[in-house]
Amino acid sequence: MYSCIGLAFVLLLGCGVLQSDATVAEVLDKNNKTCIYAEMMVNFTVQYETSNSTLSTAEFVLPTNVTTAGSICGNKTVTPFLKISFGNGHYWSINFTHSNTSYHGDVFIFGYNVSDSTIFHNASQKGVIKVVANDTMPPVPMDHYYRCMSDDVFKQGNVTQTFWNVSIQAYIKDGNLSKNATVCSADTPTTVAPVTNITTIAPVTNVTTAAPTTTPKPTPTPKPDKETYKVSRGNDTCLIITMGLQLNYSTSAQAPWEVKNIDPNVTTASGTCGNDTSTITLNENNTIYLAFSFAKHSSKTFYLKGVNVTTIVNGSAQQLGINNNLSYWEATLGSSYMCNKDQVFKVTDKLSINTYDLRVQPFNVTNGEYSTGYFAFPVGLFKYKTCLCWNPQMNIPVCISQLQDIQRFYNFISVLKDALNKSCKSFTCIQTNCFEMNHNNNKNMHIAK
């Protein structure tokens, strides 16, 4: 049904840029007039884990046979929302925002159904997995359409999306598609002018460096409820996280900071577990999505690498913050990271997360339970970075890294010598930044890297 529409659109634009094999999606308003129009070609590449615990790659394209159920034309209070559904439970969506003179794509979501065995052969996980990304569409003047013939690649985690031959228009008036295009920078040739009349600039002296500004972090009140969330691979639990979770965020430079407790009573968990990366997504009542991505440091430790928080308001997605270059919650593989202390972690200048009674293990989960805990909390006698080994029989810390006064640590061990001899045979600190020590009076006690 879209072939005639696509041809008419090509003739109307007079540029011949829309190919016959591109996917066309059209949203109609209550008067049966076009309010959103999109024509594009998309290639999806998804790496997933099979039931044999091996990684496989699925590659497929956005087909020409799609539907737009769930899309919204938009009005003064609701922004336009385009949802393209295809195949067996897959979809791609984008929401638009605007100013008085222009509009642009804000956030797009790709949802792929790993239960679709025709694409994801022998996948270990089932259900729909969502990937959220910021759109790179520049501001488009009202009554213009956006065009980009060049490849535009979005890679996030195990998913790569490649777009080309794209033409999109939202906020269409009276169903009339525009003849005016705003072209992406990749399609615009650039000419570098020759440099002449070079002027040497005198070096600047007496430069004053401004002190860094501190992002305000509202006091977490009330304290959020703690919950344990799990991700499964087949019939086995592969990721566990327990915490009370709170968000502190601001939607703009002028907006005040807001505090949001995540309610475990209306929050569900999904995700994927791989050999080197694992992700858990918390969905609170289909209004807010929080994705935590974990990765490995070589074959010794794991850490929190990325956080992505997105809210859904009136069918439109708004990204509160994303950072895939973090380095939090590091612990040794085969153990779990624990911190009973209330902590604040900065994600972006406009978003931080507060955790309470945190425990997490994203790899090497056995029998659906946490392994030995690796604690991180302050010890008053010493100044340290973060290294604390824990022996559950003793219930005391026995290793601290980056001590300012090593002798004070030896004195501390001397005080505990009798208790150590009576309570356990050996201690092993498995954090990589701990120093080595063999106590002369206790050959059975070892603190090592």
Side-chain angles (χ1 to χ4, degrees):
M1 64 176 289
Y2 289 117
S3 59
C4 294
I5 297 176
L7 178 59
F9 193 50
V10 170
L11 296 177
L12 178 64
L13 300 179
C15 58
V17 299
L18 302 177
Q19 297 184 1
S20 60
D21 56 349
T23 300
V24 176
E26 185 180 22
V27 181
L28 304 179
D29 61 18
K30 61 182 180 180
N31 297 319
N32 207 33
K33 293 183 178 181
T34 303
C35 60
I36 304 175
Y37 187 94
E39 188 160 350
M40 66 181 76
M41 301 179 73
V42 189
N43 184 71
F44 303 103
T45 301
V46 180
Q47 192 176 53
Y48 66 97
E49 190 167 7
T50 68
S51 58
N52 299 325
S53 298
T54 60
L55 290 179
S56 184
T57 301
E59 292 192 36
F60 52 101
V61 299
L62 184 67
T64 56
N65 185 20
V66 299
T67 64
T68 58
S71 300
I72 303 172
C73 287
N75 52 41
K76 293 181 179 180
T77 58
V78 179
T79 59
F81 177 69
L82 171 63
K83 182 176 182 180
I84 301 174
S85 301
F86 60 96
N88 184 13
H90 314 290
Y91 70 90
W92 184 90
S93 67
I94 184 172
N95 73 294
F96 301 89
T97 58
H98 73 282
S99 63
N100 291 332
T101 59
S102 65
Y103 69 94
H104 67 276
D106 188 11
V107 174
F108 64 84
I109 301 175
F110 169 45
Y112 59 97
N113 183 16
V114 288
S115 299
D116 184 358
S117 59
T118 60
I119 296 177
F120 300 96
H121 307 289
N122 198 28
S124 61
Q125 199 171 5
K126 303 300 178 184
V128 177
I129 299 174
K130 302 179 182 67
V131 176
V132 182
N134 286 326
D135 191 38
T136 58
M137 179 189 297
V140 179
M142 291 296 186
D143 200 29
H144 279 59
Y145 74 96
Y146 170 75
R147 187 186 74 208
C148 193
M149 305 302 295
S150 302
D151 289 358
D152 198 0
V153 180
F154 293 83
K155 182 175 177 59
Q156 188 155 355
N158 61 322
V159 175
T160 300
Q161 304 175 67
T162 305
F163 299 80
W164 72 102
N165 290 3
V166 175
S167 291
I168 295 180
Q169 184 178 357
Y171 299 97
I172 299 174
K173 294 182 179 180
D174 299 322
N176 298 318
L177 301 176
S178 176
K179 299 179 182 180
N180 303 312
T182 295
V183 181
C184 65
S185 58
D187 287 356
T188 305
T190 57
T191 302
V192 180
V195 179
T196 59
N197 300 326
I198 298 177
T199 302
T200 302
I201 301 175
V204 178
T205 59
N206 299 325
V207 177
T208 301
T209 302
T213 58
T214 302
T215 302
K217 300 294 189 301
T219 302
T221 179
K223 185 176 179 178
D225 294 332
K226 183 174 70 172
E227 184 59 82
T228 296
Y229 307 96
K230 296 184 178 182
V231 175
S232 298
R233 181 170 54 197
N235 296 324
D236 299 325
T237 299
C238 56
L239 186 155
I240 318 176
I241 186 168
T242 302
M243 61 182 167
L245 183 60
Q246 186 179 82
L247 303 180
N248 291 276
Y249 62 93
S250 175
T251 56
S252 68
Q254 294 77 27
W257 280 72
E258 300 182 40
V259 180
K260 162 71 177 173
N261 282 352
I262 299 303
D263 183 1
N265 296 318
V266 292
T267 300
T268 59
S270 62
T272 59
C273 295
N275 292 331
D276 298 315
T277 60
S278 294
T279 299
I280 182 170
T281 299
L282 303 182
N283 172 7
E284 189 195 56
N285 204 27
N286 294 322
T287 60
I288 188 164
Y289 294 86
L290 306 96
F292 297 88
S293 300
F294 299 87
K296 294 180 180 178
H297 274 316
S298 64
S299 59
K300 296 182 179 180
T301 62
F302 69 83
Y303 66 102
L304 176 67
K305 184 178 186 297
V307 173
N308 187 345
V309 181
T310 301
T311 61
I312 308 296
V313 180
N314 296 324
S316 298
Q318 178 182 8
Q319 194 166 69
L320 294 183
I322 179 173
N323 190 336
N324 290 315
N325 294 292
L326 301 175
S327 186
Y328 297 139
W329 308 351
E330 184 171 1
T332 303
L333 288 171
S335 67
S336 58
Y337 176 92
M338 301 181 67
C339 188
N340 292 326
K341 181 180 181 292
D342 301 347
Q343 292 184 296
V344 180
F345 299 96
K346 179 180 177 180
V347 179
T348 68
D349 290 337
K350 294 290 182 290
L351 171 67
S352 64
I353 58 174
N354 295 9
T355 62
Y356 303 81
D357 300 320
L358 172 66
R359 187 170 189 179
V360 60
Q361 185 169 348
F363 301 100
N364 303 90
V365 177
T366 303
N367 297 325
E369 301 293 337
Y370 286 111
S371 301
T372 300
Y374 182 90
F375 282 73
F377 58 85
V379 176
L381 290 176
F382 310 103
K383 292 184 178 180
Y384 61 95
K385 185 179 179 181
T386 302
C387 177
L388 191 57
C389 294
W390 191 264
N391 185 291
Q393 297 174 341
M394 288 286 295
N395 205 35
I396 59 170
V398 296
C399 179
I400 304 169
S401 71
Q402 295 189 357
L403 298 175
Q404 283 192 334
D405 187 350
I406 298 299
Q407 185 58 47
R408 293 180 67 190
F409 181 68
Y410 277 94
N411 294 340
F412 175 66
I413 291 297
S414 297
V415 174
L416 295 177
K417 181 176 64 175
D418 292 339
L420 293 174
N421 285 330
K422 293 178 182 178
S423 301
C424 60
K425 295 181 179 179
S426 66
F427 292 90
T428 301
C429 179
I430 50 180
Q431 179 73 354
T432 57
N433 60 354
C434 289
F435 63 90
E436 297 183 1
M437 185 187 75
N438 290 314
H439 197 281
N440 293 332
N441 297 326
N442 187 359
K443 295 182 181 180
N444 292 325
M445 185 187 70
H446 303 284
I447 299 178
K449 291 183 178 179

